[in-house]
Amino acid sequence: VQSLEQVLCDIELKGQVITDVGSVKSITVEAARRVFGELPKNFIPGHPIAGSEKQGVVAADPNLFRQHKVILTPEEASSPEAIARVEKLWRGLGADVVKMTVPHHDDVLAQTSHLPHLLAYALVDTLSAGGDSLEVFEYAAGGFRDFSRIAASDPTMWSDVFQANKGPLVQVLDLYLSKLEMLKQLIESGDAEEIKGLLIRAKVARDHFSNIQAIARTK
């Protein structure tokens, strides 16, 4: 398997527009700078926020990017023409294009994608290691199925993602662990009101997210 730098070394910069679809933008930009000395003006890093746990040609979906966001992380020196061409590409596939800085992208994705995948893998591994794991999976309902679905994703790819974005991922993981420890203490102490308050806040936030998605689907 070629490294990112090896792939970039095989690219001849002759004015063509270059982009990518990686889930961590800092390593892409850093690799480009090592290979080319700087991020080429015609290299527009990108990341489509779409996909599933399925793999291969049989999982192809012609509407995969429709009404999904694509994040571009150009720099100030990036070519406006190159940015416009990449935007046109993604909008032609039905995607909504947004721009942000590389650090902001990696922080956001650590929270919204990388942490959920890490938790799903950890949950399935924890339950499967128990003596009654087959019984646990046999009686698992929709909540477990929905939450654990992404643990069926490619382990090699996600191991690489976790390592590539370990700084932001560890930071948000520490926050999550602190929240779990607090929730554990509330359950042990029988503080039902505090537990309920936490659940209400989470439900309100999740309902707001659902409303945003519903509005986006109607556009």
Side-chain angles (χ1 to χ4, degrees):
V1 178
Q2 285 187 306
S3 70
L4 181 55
E5 288 186 34
Q6 289 172 324
V7 172
L8 293 175
C9 284
D10 292 337
I11 296 176
E12 295 184 13
L13 296 177
K14 294 182 179 179
Q16 71 272 36
V17 175
I18 305 168
T19 189
D20 75 307
V21 294
S23 185
V24 183
K25 301 274 58 93
S26 57
I27 61 165
T28 303
V29 172
E30 290 165 6
R33 286 178 175 145
R34 286 193 294 270
V35 172
F36 303 118
E38 61 180 0
L39 183 68
K41 291 179 172 53
N42 56 332
F43 189 170
I44 312 302
H47 179 206
I49 312 300
S52 75
E53 78 283 3
K54 299 177 182 178
Q55 306 168 45
V57 175
V58 294
D61 179 0
N63 296 311
L64 178 63
F65 305 111
R66 188 168 300 280
Q67 295 184 329
H68 283 79
K69 283 184 169 54
V70 171
I71 301 174
L72 302 183
T73 61
E75 296 189 331
E76 289 186 9
S78 297
S79 164
E81 293 79 10
I83 296 173
R85 290 188 66 182
V86 175
E87 286 185 5
K88 183 178 179 180
L89 164 70
W90 285 115
R91 291 200 173 103
L93 295 173
D96 299 320
V97 180
V98 298
K99 300 185 189 73
M100 59 180 64
T101 65
V102 167
H104 189 198
H105 169 277
D106 289 356
D107 284 342
V108 169
L109 268 294
Q111 299 172 60
T112 59
S113 176
H114 306 165
L115 178 64
H117 277 81
L118 183 67
L119 300 180
Y121 280 116
L123 174 65
V124 174
D125 187 58
T126 299
L127 297 182
S128 65
D132 297 327
S133 61
L134 291 179
E135 184 177 44
V136 169
F137 293 136
E138 180 180 357
Y139 292 102
F144 175 82
R145 181 185 63 247
D146 293 343
F147 184 77
S148 65
R149 174 186 60 81
I150 52 179
S153 302
D154 182 4
T156 299
M157 182 189 77
W158 279 101
S159 175
D160 290 343
V161 169
F162 296 154
Q163 288 298 308
N165 204 29
K166 62 183 177 181
L169 178 57
V170 168
Q171 186 175 22
V172 69
L173 181 58
D174 281 340
L175 293 174
Y176 186 77
L177 291 173
S178 297
K179 183 70 70 172
L180 284 181
E181 181 59 34
M182 181 193 74
L183 189 54
K184 174 186 173 184
Q185 293 175 3
L186 293 175
I187 292 173
E188 288 178 340
S189 65
D191 195 335
E193 286 303 312
E194 285 294 326
I195 295 172
K196 184 178 179 180
L198 184 151
L199 301 183
I200 289 173
R201 291 194 303 274
K203 183 183 185 320
V204 169
R206 184 61 177 81
D207 288 345
H208 178 63
F209 172 65
S210 297
N211 291 335
I212 292 175
Q213 285 191 312
I215 293 171
R217 285 193 294 268
T218 61
K219 292 183 178 179

